[in-house]
Amino acid sequence: MKIKHKISAILLSVIMGGGFLSCKEVLEETPRTAFTIDYFKTSDGLYSAVYTAYAGMRYDFGPQGALILANVGTDEFSFGDQGAATDQTRELGTYNLSPTNGAIGTPWGRNYSNINLCNAVVEFAPSVTLDATSKAKLVGEARYLRALYYLLLVQNFGAVPLDLGSGELKFNATPSCKFNRLGADLLEKNYKAMIDDLIFASENLPDQRPAGEFRLSKVAALHLLSRVYLYRAYSTVKQATDFQNSYDNAKKVIDNKAKYGVDLLQDYGDVHKEGNDYNKEVIFSIERTPLNNIANEVNNPSTDFAEKVNISCNFFVSNYQAVTKGGKAFFPVRVLQYGRPLRQFLPTRWTLDVAFADKFNDSRFMHTFRDTYYVATFYTKGTADYDTYVANMASINLTLGDTAFYLAPTEEIANRMKALTGAAAKKFVVFAPSEMYTNQKRVNNIYPALKKYEAVNRANFQDVSGRPFVVAKLSEVYLLAAEAAMALGKNDEAAQLINILRTRAAYRPNLTTADLNARIAKNQITASAINLDFILDERTRELCGESIRWADLALRGKLIDRTKTKGYNPDVATISNFHYLRPIPQSQLDATCEVNKSQFQNEGYK
């Protein structure tokens, strides 16, 4: 690969030495400036390489480029007005995409150095003096991480090199300008490598992860193995047993939850609640350290957002600061809870009105999106600014904690609330769906904001989020099992698996037993409802905004159908079949010494 990416494994800045440490200790270790090959052949070197491979995942989950790649241009999310002003966001949202787009360089430019690290662990571990159990666990971690790094490349670019210059899946320390991407069987090899890695990981990782950190476990490997088998089942290199293997691995988790230390939470709202990040439903997350910008690879925490490694708390936020009443701004300064209104990502009306059509019986909308904003301020109590703010709110009959404005779910509800008069009249502002922003109707730059990533534990409203970023949840295991069951002709079982999630979705605190049972009954589906589109709808309800949607659609062959054909995302107008893959970054093609560079580019791109 590109030279600086191939050998940067020995130059990474977050490299932990020493023994098996807790998460917080690992992230705060003094960085080494370099690895040597001899160092890899020690137990400390193996641990350091694995820790660094964990840390490298921060660039695939949470930063600007990774968020754009995974979410924009899908049926779930388009771009907001500031996203339209950002070339890489707009290009990916409209599929007017060039090989120089900055976001596509996020996985390409980061993943290979970490793959090379994982190759080193696998290659040198047999000769390292270390007890067999610890060694197998380290190799299992490296092989899971290598599989995930490769999956993030394959789902975006198709077949990608396994040979970094020293042979397939071999550690490479010698700079090479070769681009080993050719070969009709390369995609088949990619999937086999991922599956082999994950099978090994599922057999050698611990049964359970530690309670307070996201070290890998068997269940994480089984989850990803089920997903990879499912993706391959839809690909050109599918095998007849793929759906069955996907089903078997997912069911192994579901049928052995106690063994693996995982379970569905009673309340969907608790799964993504800040402060509850290490709950039993979350299988694997990419860890950060709150209020520690150095550990989180943040160069400048107070100004530019482009370098922030987890900016998810700000990218899905609308312009809540622009809302006023009686000439008074509800939020003259930003509020930590609500984030910095960067307005990069905009939920489609399909997401808000169709996928989450039932906001009464199904609680997942209220726990996914913020539709209510409360009077709050970042001003320090006792200052003149604070006193002025409180006085301004009092002049419009509001106090701290009162509802400031509400985004109504339907026109009917909005009109009914606005029509109230006298003592029943609402003191807060109400927006109907028709009064919310879309790129086709640019009124009031306000819309429900994804709130799964809200982060209060930050230094200020521009600061990076220190929360872990969820990669794998138990609820997706149920969805994978259901989809594989459907493909195997077992729609009754698929409905049963999905109904487990829909039963949980009915729950809200303080409901009477009768009310809860009534909502559960309304949420149940039958086998006749099961098809791929329904499962994709259900994946939105359960996993909305969790940086998996583009792959969900592209690898199942549903990207064009669910954006342009069905009209779920009206900002997607120019999409073609070749857009199922991203272009190979131009910087990579420029770096190769091959004469015919264009042979390595994906079809349709120049």
Side-chain angles (χ1 to χ4, degrees):
M1 307 313 303
K2 193 172 179 180
I3 291 173
K4 70 176 184 179
H5 294 149
K6 292 190 70 170
I7 64 173
S8 62
I10 64 172
L11 300 173
L12 294 175
S13 62
V14 183
I15 300 174
M16 274 54 72
F20 195 82
L21 306 173
S22 75
C23 166
K24 187 169 290 186
E25 290 169 328
V26 167
L27 291 173
E28 294 177 355
E29 275 287 305
T30 302
R32 291 179 179 268
T33 56
F35 279 157
T36 65
I37 294 177
D38 286 341
Y39 183 58
F40 285 133
K41 298 177 182 179
T42 69
S43 60
D44 282 357
L46 290 186
Y47 278 111
S48 295
V50 170
Y51 292 152
T52 303
Y54 270 109
M57 279 290 171
R58 292 181 181 138
Y59 291 95
D60 283 297
F61 294 95
Q64 181 179 8
L67 289 169
I68 299 168
L69 277 175
N71 295 287
V72 173
T74 67
D75 50 4
E76 285 185 356
F77 287 94
S78 185
F79 47 85
D81 69 303
Q82 287 195 4
T86 306
D87 289 343
Q88 60 184 355
T89 309
R90 185 185 64 255
E91 284 184 8
L92 284 159
T94 60
Y95 291 90
N96 183 23
L97 185 58
S98 73
T100 59
N101 184 282
I104 64 174
T106 298
W108 196 272
R110 296 283 182 177
N111 287 16
Y112 282 109
S113 61
N114 289 291
I115 287 170
N116 203 33
L117 269 180
C118 294
N119 289 346
V121 174
V122 176
E123 187 168 331
F124 297 125
S127 63
V128 172
T129 301
L130 188 66
D131 69 273
T133 301
S134 297
K135 186 184 295 187
K137 177 180 178 294
L138 278 173
V139 175
E141 289 175 294
R143 294 190 70 169
Y144 173 98
L145 293 168
R146 183 169 68 179
L148 181 52
Y149 278 121
Y150 264 119
L151 178 60
L152 294 167
L153 290 167
V154 168
Q155 69 190 30
N156 279 290
F157 303 105
V160 294
L162 294 172
D163 181 354
L164 307 185
S166 297
E168 292 184 353
L169 299 176
K170 296 294 185 181
F171 173 72
N172 183 62
T174 305
S176 171
C177 61
K178 292 290 186 179
F179 192 16
N180 300 306
R181 194 182 183 231
L182 301 183
D185 62 344
L186 184 55
L187 184 62
E188 183 176 352
K189 288 182 177 181
N190 287 156
Y191 272 105
K192 184 179 186 304
M194 290 185 281
I195 288 168
D196 287 348
D197 277 349
L198 292 168
I199 289 174
F200 181 93
S202 71
E203 294 170 347
N204 290 278
L205 289 171
D207 286 349
Q208 300 185 15
R209 68 168 173 84
E213 57 182 325
F214 286 112
R215 300 306 296 260
L216 287 162
S217 64
K218 283 186 172 68
V219 68
L222 291 167
H223 160 265
L224 192 59
L225 185 57
S226 176
R227 189 196 287 176
V228 171
Y229 273 126
L230 191 77
Y231 282 166
R232 189 172 71 173
Y234 289 108
S235 78
T236 57
V237 296
K238 62 187 176 183
Q239 295 190 10
T241 56
D242 282 340
F243 282 121
Q244 186 66 55
N245 285 330
S246 176
Y247 173 85
D248 290 344
N249 282 282
K251 280 289 285 177
K252 187 174 182 179
V253 174
I254 293 168
D255 294 341
N256 296 279
K257 294 193 293 292
K259 173 183 177 180
Y260 296 125
V262 295
D263 208 351
L264 295 174
L265 302 189
Q266 180 184 35
D267 188 344
Y268 180 85
D270 288 339
V271 179
H272 291 275
K273 183 179 291 184
E274 185 175 13
N276 193 40
D277 298 286
Y278 296 93
N279 66 74
K280 285 190 172 185
E281 188 163 338
V282 179
I283 295 169
F284 183 50
S285 289
I286 306 306
E287 299 211 78
R288 270 86 175 183
T289 304
L291 301 174
N292 187 333
N293 289 304
I294 294 175
N296 294 331
E297 293 95 32
V298 178
N299 295 327
N300 193 344
S302 61
T303 53
D304 181 30
F305 63 81
E307 296 178 342
K308 291 183 170 63
V309 192
N310 186 5
I311 199 168
S312 55
C313 57
N314 297 326
F315 257 40
F316 296 86
V317 182
S318 67
N319 196 11
Y320 65 89
Q321 286 187 269
V323 182
T324 63
K325 178 184 177 184
K328 301 293 194 300
F330 289 120
F331 306 105
V333 292
R334 297 158 184 159
V335 177
L336 275 179
Q337 181 75 43
Y338 304 148
R340 179 179 172 183
L342 291 179
R343 292 146 28 218
Q344 290 288 309
F345 301 160
L346 167 75
T348 64
R349 293 314 308 181
W350 173 82
T351 298
L352 300 176
D353 300 338
V354 181
F356 290 101
D358 187 348
K359 300 176 177 66
F360 181 79
N361 297 300
D362 192 325
S363 69
R364 287 175 290 187
F365 176 83
M366 67 175 285
H367 294 309
T368 298
F369 288 99
R370 175 167 295 283
D371 59 5
T372 307
Y373 287 76
Y374 302 95
V375 175
T377 183
F378 193 64
Y379 292 133
T380 302
K381 188 175 182 178
T383 64
D385 286 336
Y386 178 91
D387 292 340
T388 299
Y389 175 76
V390 171
N392 283 339
M393 294 299 98
S395 71
I396 53 176
N397 300 312
L398 293 172
T399 61
L400 290 173
D402 286 347
T403 300
F405 63 89
Y406 173 63
L407 302 161
T410 66
E411 297 292 321
E412 179 186 3
I413 291 174
N415 292 336
R416 192 163 64 240
M417 294 177 75
K418 291 179 180 183
L420 296 172
T421 59
K426 302 298 182 185
K427 294 185 289 183
F428 52 85
V429 175
V430 176
F431 290 98
S434 61
E435 297 173 306
M436 298 176 203
Y437 182 92
T438 69
N439 286 313
Q440 289 69 47
K441 191 174 184 181
R442 300 179 175 229
V443 297
N444 303 309
N445 201 340
I446 195 75
Y447 42 83
L450 189 78
K451 67 179 185 180
K452 290 177 176 178
Y453 303 122
E454 289 182 348
V456 173
N457 193 15
R458 294 182 290 145
N460 56 54
F461 47 78
Q462 297 187 131
D463 194 12
V464 67
S465 171
R467 293 185 62 187
F469 194 102
V470 174
V471 173
K473 298 192 307 188
L474 181 60
S475 58
E476 196 203 355
V477 178
Y478 282 83
L479 291 165
L480 293 169
E483 185 173 351
M486 174 198 71
L488 295 169
K490 300 189 288 188
N491 278 24
D492 284 334
E493 184 175 354
Q496 292 168 13
L497 288 161
I498 289 176
N499 278 335
I500 292 171
L501 300 180
R502 294 177 68 83
T503 294
R504 190 264 295 272
Y507 177 84
R508 299 186 197 216
N510 304 316
L511 287 178
T512 66
T513 301
D515 283 343
L516 177 59
N517 288 338
R519 295 182 189 210
I520 290 173
K522 288 284 188 180
N523 279 352
Q524 302 304 287
I525 60 165
T526 62
S528 63
I530 297 294
N531 56 43
L532 183 53
D533 279 309
F534 180 86
I535 287 175
L536 287 169
D537 293 352
E538 197 67 20
R539 288 181 67 84
T540 285
R541 287 184 278 270
E542 194 70 31
L543 308 170
C544 185
E546 296 183 28
S547 285
I548 192 176
R549 192 58 175 184
W550 194 86
D552 271 354
L553 300 184
L555 275 70
R556 291 171 173 84
K558 296 291 287 184
L559 183 63
I560 294 175
D561 178 56
R562 291 182 65 95
T563 55
K564 183 179 178 180
T565 304
K566 289 187 168 70
Y568 293 169
N569 185 339
D571 295 321
V572 175
T574 61
I575 191 168
S576 301
N577 284 333
F578 70 84
H579 288 118
Y580 277 93
L581 296 177
R582 318 291 198 179
I584 302 299
Q586 188 62 44
S587 58
Q588 174 61 60
L589 298 180
D590 292 342
T592 183
C593 56
E594 303 282 0
V595 175
N596 181 11
K597 300 177 188 293
S598 63
Q599 66 183 317
F600 302 108
Q601 184 56 273
N602 281 326
E603 181 183 354
Y605 296 103
K606 296 181 179 180

